[in-house]
């Protein structure tokens, strides 16, 4: 089934408000799902999928102060970001039950980033969509401190300081879909460190239909998590590697298109021990051979999905990934 036929009916009054708030391009439809899929759509840990601020008040913010205020409130909110917001060199803490969505194609958070949850205030059930992130002083988006049920969709991330989109510290049930990563080295870390062993049994993340456009590494770099599902992504000109599974992680890599990537899939990297990798139905155009190892729990144990023909991935992903397309 193609992305054009995958659009689903919107559920939840607040999510309906998001669609009403964000202008849709005339051709919108490619990759424009309106409910979370992948691991973010799984019923687990007392949460029925990922609904964000559904049922909460809808507000529009145009300043860093207003954004920081609403993302930190304990109540559910649907927060529309309008225009360019200069955050400074800090990360704003996003607490549970929030939808943060950009208006049109010009919404941007620059200078800082968003951190989902703190050690005392969980960042569960959060949706981030249709936002551009630039020039972050640390991570652009950090999913951390046991945050679960997070959906990051149709964002544009570039020119950060550390990671563009990191998932770590016991976080779980996350989907990263239809995002454009570019002009940066470290794209998407999954797992805090080689010694943070409590991540084992967590870090279940789906990465699908993302465009890793000239970024060097971490697409993702995985420690401990299983299963991690990487499918239908477009990798182009990634100088160090595409996907790296380390520290006994379990990663399924399928239906992706690797173009001019010397090391598309690695088991083990740098000082980190090997991880398990199952690869299937990928295209390696002008790219090296993948490394595989062992067996991995199947993502279908948790959710159903359809893999697009990998030959169509460059066209689908370049047409549908990024902002202004939901």
């Amino acid at each position: 089934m193609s992305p054009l036929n995958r659009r689903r009916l919107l559920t939840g009054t607040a999510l309906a408000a998001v669609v009403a708030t964000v202008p849709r391009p005339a051709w919108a439809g490619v990759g424009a799902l309106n409910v979370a899929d992948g691991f973010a759509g799984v019923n687990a840990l007392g949460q029925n999928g990922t609904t964000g601020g559904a049922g909460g008040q809808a507000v529009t913010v145009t300043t860093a102060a207003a954004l920081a205020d609403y993302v930190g409130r304990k109540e559910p909110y649907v927060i529309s970001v309008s225009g360019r917001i200069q955050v400074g060199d800090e990360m704003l803490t996003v607490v549970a039950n929030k939808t943060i969505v950009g208006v049109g194609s010009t919404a941007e958070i620059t200078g800082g980033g968003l951190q989902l949850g703190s050690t005392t205030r969980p960042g569960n059930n959060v949706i981030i969509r249709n936002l551009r992130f630039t020039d972050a002083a640390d991570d652009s988006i950090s999913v951390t401190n046991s945050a679960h049920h997070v959906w990051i969709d149709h964002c544009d991330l570039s020119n950060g300081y550390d990671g563009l989109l990191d998932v770590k510290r016991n976080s779980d049930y996350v989907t990263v879909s239809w995002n454009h990563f570019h002009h940066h080295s470290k794209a998407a870390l999954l797992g805090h460190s080689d010694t943070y062993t409590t991540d084992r049994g967590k870090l279940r993340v789906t990465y699908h239909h993302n465009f890793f456009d000239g970024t060097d590494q971490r697409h993702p770099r995985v420690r401990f998590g299983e299963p991690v599902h990487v499918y239908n992504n477009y990798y182009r000109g990634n100088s160090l590697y595409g996907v790296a599974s380390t520290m006994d992680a379990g990663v399924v890599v399928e239906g992706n298109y690797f173009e001019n990537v010397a090391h598309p899939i690695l088991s083990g990297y740098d000082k980190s021990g090997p991880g398990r990798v199952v690869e299937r139905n990928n295209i390696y155009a002008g790219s090296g051979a993948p490394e595989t190892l062992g067996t991995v729990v199947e993502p279908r144990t948790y959710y159903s999905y359809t893999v697009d023909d990998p030959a169509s991935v460059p066209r689908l992903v370049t047409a549908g990934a990024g902002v202004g397309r939901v």
Side-chain angles (χ1 to χ4, degrees):
M1 183 184 298
S2 73
L4 287 170
N5 294 324
R6 275 201 226 109
R7 188 179 300 163
R8 303 171 186 172
L9 291 176
L10 209 53
T11 58
T13 55
L15 283 177
V18 171
V19 174
T21 300
V22 180
R24 294 176 63 79
W27 62 273
V30 176
L33 299 179
N34 285 318
V35 293
D37 61 357
F39 275 114
V42 172
N43 296 342
L45 303 178
Q47 180 69 38
N48 294 328
T50 301
T51 56
Q57 181 181 351
V59 297
T60 299
V61 299
T62 59
T63 67
L67 178 62
D69 177 18
Y70 283 110
V71 300
R73 293 191 184 191
K74 64 180 181 180
E75 301 86 3
Y77 277 93
V78 175
I79 304 163
S80 295
V81 176
S82 180
R84 187 173 190 263
I85 293 181
Q86 177 76 45
V87 171
D89 60 356
E90 60 182 322
M91 297 194 72
L92 306 182
T93 299
V94 181
V95 301
N97 307 316
K98 301 293 185 295
T99 295
I100 308 167
V101 61
V103 176
S105 59
T106 60
E108 179 179 349
I109 295 174
T110 188
L114 300 178
Q115 175 174 301
L116 274 59
S118 68
T119 55
T120 58
R121 306 176 73 203
N124 306 333
N125 191 31
V126 171
I127 296 171
I128 301 173
R129 301 189 82 188
N130 199 49
L131 276 168
R132 180 172 283 108
F133 292 83
T134 60
D135 299 322
D138 195 345
D139 294 341
S140 297
I141 302 174
S142 178
V143 182
T144 188
N145 294 318
S146 301
H148 64 83
H149 287 90
V150 174
W151 183 28
I152 300 166
D153 178 69
H154 280 94
C155 292
D156 183 293
L157 304 102
S158 65
N159 290 313
Y161 174 75
D162 192 9
L164 290 179
L165 200 172
D166 290 357
V167 182
K168 54 193 176 184
R169 294 183 180 270
N170 301 322
S171 296
D172 213 354
Y173 293 101
V174 177
T175 296
V176 178
S177 58
W178 295 99
N179 301 289
H180 185 193
F181 299 82
H182 59 101
H183 293 92
H184 193 71
S185 179
K186 301 173 182 177
L189 179 68
L190 180 53
H192 178 65
S193 68
D194 289 355
T195 59
Y196 203 84
T197 57
T198 59
D199 274 341
R200 192 181 303 276
K202 302 179 178 66
L203 301 181
R204 284 165 281 209
V205 181
T206 303
Y207 299 85
H208 74 82
H209 295 93
N210 298 290
F211 185 12
F212 296 108
D213 182 10
T215 44
D216 295 334
Q217 58 182 311
R218 302 184 180 181
H219 314 100
R221 183 197 203 278
V222 186
R223 296 178 173 100
F224 301 116
E226 183 182 9
V228 176
H229 192 197
V230 181
Y231 78 93
N232 279 157
N233 300 283
Y234 181 25
Y235 295 82
R236 185 172 72 183
N238 311 114
S239 62
L240 293 180
Y241 62 87
V243 179
S245 179
T246 74
M247 303 307 294
D248 196 38
V251 184
V252 174
V253 184
E254 62 177 326
N256 302 282
Y257 194 103
F258 295 89
E259 181 179 333
N260 297 327
V261 183
H263 303 285
I265 302 173
L266 297 176
S267 173
Y269 182 72
D270 195 20
K271 298 179 181 179
S272 300
R276 290 166 288 117
V277 186
V278 169
E279 75 85 30
R280 56 190 177 228
N281 198 29
N282 299 287
I283 291 177
Y284 303 98
S287 299
E291 295 181 0
T292 60
L293 177 69
T295 61
V296 180
V297 174
E298 281 293 329
R300 291 190 196 280
T301 306
Y302 293 87
Y303 58 84
S304 61
Y305 63 97
T306 301
V307 180
D308 290 315
D309 178 357
S312 71
V313 163
R315 174 180 57 83
L316 292 174
V317 170
T318 54
V323 298
R325 297 176 177 184
V326 295

